Amino acid sequence: MRALLFALPFTLLPLAVAQAQTHEHEHEHEHGSLGAHEHGVARLSAALDGKMLELELASPAMNLVGFEHAASSDADKHKVAVTRAQLEKPLELFAIPAEAGCKVVSQELESPLFEEAEHHHEHAGDHEHEHSDIHTHYQLECSSPDKLQALDLAPLFKQFPATEKVQVQLIGPNGQQGAELTAANASLDF
């Protein structure tokens, strides 16, 4: 399943290229290149295969936390903790219907902001040039996957209003599709 999720961006690459807009800048993450880093824009890959639903969200930290620098003040640390707690609830974040019987099998949240600020002093003068991203990966097992009719991002847009649009790539029972969702158009049928 994970291989399917990783193959998704390459399968839908022509669609992504067609919908690509000018990005502000490129960003290198410690785990490799992330590609476009555009404030207000996030990317979501979703794959429903049998009873397994995988969701992978990538977003500039600015969209979710409101800043990208190392959290040094108590207010910043609190904001990071609240954001992480919200991201640890994918069933709520993606409005997964209870009747689908989905449970979280695994989840990973990655961001320099979630780690200890060990490099904070080292790079103190560089903060205006740093760009942090947040990556999440969720694997859900659903007892009634037929009850998953749509991917609804309304709660994500509500909790993180700085996220203006999400570029979605989806593989589901009806094949592959891509869309750009906004708060006004926050749903995509499986």
Side-chain angles (χ1 to χ4, degrees):
M1 173 58 118
R2 189 147 172 107
L4 179 67
L5 191 58
F6 285 128
L8 182 61
F10 298 108
T11 305
L12 295 176
L13 188 59
L15 175 65
V17 170
Q19 291 185 345
Q21 296 185 6
T22 305
H23 60 272
E24 292 178 6
H25 45 266
E26 294 291 317
H27 173 64
E28 288 289 321
H29 186 268
E30 61 190 12
H31 300 294
S33 177
L34 293 176
H37 175 99
E38 184 179 352
H39 294 176
V41 180
R43 294 179 315 278
L44 176 67
S45 296
L48 178 60
D49 185 19
K51 293 186 174 204
M52 298 304 293
L53 173 62
E54 290 202 41
L55 302 164
E56 193 165 298
L57 178 69
S59 175
M62 182 66 75
N63 300 350
L64 307 178
V65 182
F67 57 86
E68 296 186 331
H69 58 269
S72 55
S73 72
D74 288 342
D76 285 355
K77 290 176 185 176
H78 177 73
K79 182 64 175 162
V80 169
V82 167
T83 299
R84 184 179 181 118
Q86 291 169 320
L87 292 171
E88 289 175 342
K89 299 176 184 172
L91 298 175
E92 295 172 19
L93 193 63
F94 299 104
I96 306 293
E99 56 271 10
C102 298
K103 63 179 180 176
V104 179
V105 175
S106 70
Q107 69 180 14
E108 299 171 28
L109 287 85
E110 292 183 14
S111 175
L113 297 181
F114 297 151
E115 300 167 11
E116 291 294 319
E118 58 194 54
H119 302 292
H120 175 65
H121 299 293
E122 228 175 278
H123 302 290
D126 267 346
H127 287 311
E128 61 190 286
H129 300 292
E130 290 180 13
H131 302 289
S132 295
D133 290 303
I134 295 176
H135 289 265
T136 66
H137 178 254
Y138 308 99
Q139 189 174 41
L140 310 174
E141 185 173 0
C142 304
S143 60
S144 300
D146 57 312
K147 303 291 185 191
L148 293 170
Q149 300 298 314
L151 187 61
D152 184 0
L153 302 186
L156 183 136
F157 286 112
K158 184 176 181 182
Q159 286 188 9
F160 304 111
T163 302
E164 298 168 5
K165 56 187 170 181
V166 177
Q167 297 168 341
V168 180
Q169 297 175 345
L170 173 75
I171 293 178
N174 296 321
Q176 304 172 19
Q177 54 185 316
E180 189 169 272
L181 301 182
T182 63
N185 178 29
S187 183
L188 180 63
D189 291 341
F190 273 100

